[in-house]
Amino acid sequence: MSFADLYSSGEHRRNLAHFAALATLASINGEISIEEKMLLDRFAKKLDITESEYLEVLKKENKYPIDSTPSAEKRLERLYDLFRIVYSDHKLDEEERILIKKYAIGLGFTGEKADAIIERSVAIFGGKIDFDDYLYLVKH
């Protein structure tokens, strides 16, 4: 299956792109550990990834890059999407936080900037806000 075929359309396409990037990050050091597999299972459930999509993404020959962009606003939008998904169960555990930081760095943020955005996002996502409010709060 080609990279283009993997991503169909709309919200599910974005969810699948997030999941594929997270799976690539989890396998960056070779094999996926039991803990990473459990985390990917949780993300797959949150992202509504089908079993066939899950298996396709995890094939050793399939590595999906994080689609970075020079636009800070687009990078924040991608993190916002991911935070909405992660917070669908109203919590963020340490393993998810670590993977989100790797994702943020993959999008093009420095480690320090990623930490700051994640901290602000965690505080913000205690409640529900729309992207425009999120963008304003993270930028200021």
Side-chain angles (χ1 to χ4, degrees), residues 11 15 18-19 22 39-40 42-48 78-101 103 118 121-122 125-128:
E11 184 176 349
N15 289 352
H18 286 310
F19 180 75
L22 293 170
L39 183 59
L40 287 174
R42 287 199 328 253
F43 272 113
K45 184 176 180 181
K46 288 180 181 184
L47 295 168
D48 198 28
R78 290 184 183 139
L79 279 178
Y80 172 79
D81 285 345
L82 188 56
F83 269 103
R84 279 188 26 228
I85 293 159
V86 168
Y87 269 90
S88 65
D89 63 358
H90 307 289
K91 64 180 179 174
L92 174 72
D93 61 34
E94 191 56 31
E95 293 86 8
E96 289 172 329
R97 181 185 291 261
I98 291 166
L99 205 51
I100 288 172
K101 181 174 180 181
Y103 187 74
I118 290 167
S121 297
V122 167
F125 274 89
K128 294 191 177 202

Side-chain angles (χ1 to χ4, degrees), residues 54-69:
Y54 186 100
L55 294 173
E56 184 66 30
V57 165
L58 290 184
K59 286 182 179 177
K60 284 186 186 276
E61 66 272 13
N62 290 340
K63 297 296 175 215
Y64 303 98
I66 296 173
D67 188 19
S68 64
T69 175

Side-chain angles (χ1 to χ4, degrees), residues 25-77:
L25 286 171
S27 66
I28 205 91
N29 60 350
E31 294 298 314
I32 295 175
S33 70
I34 293 170
E35 293 81 11
E36 289 168 329
K37 171 83 168 76
M38 290 170 50
L39 183 59
L40 287 174
D41 290 348
R42 287 199 328 253
F43 272 113
K45 184 176 180 181
K46 288 180 181 184
L47 295 168
D48 198 28
I49 303 302
T50 67
E51 184 176 346
S52 62
E53 291 167 335
Y54 186 100
L55 294 173
E56 184 66 30
V57 165
L58 290 184
K59 286 182 179 177
K60 284 186 186 276
E61 66 272 13
N62 290 340
K63 297 296 175 215
Y64 303 98
I66 296 173
D67 188 19
S68 64
T69 175
S71 167
E73 189 169 322
K74 286 289 184 191
R75 290 192 308 255
L76 286 172
E77 185 174 4

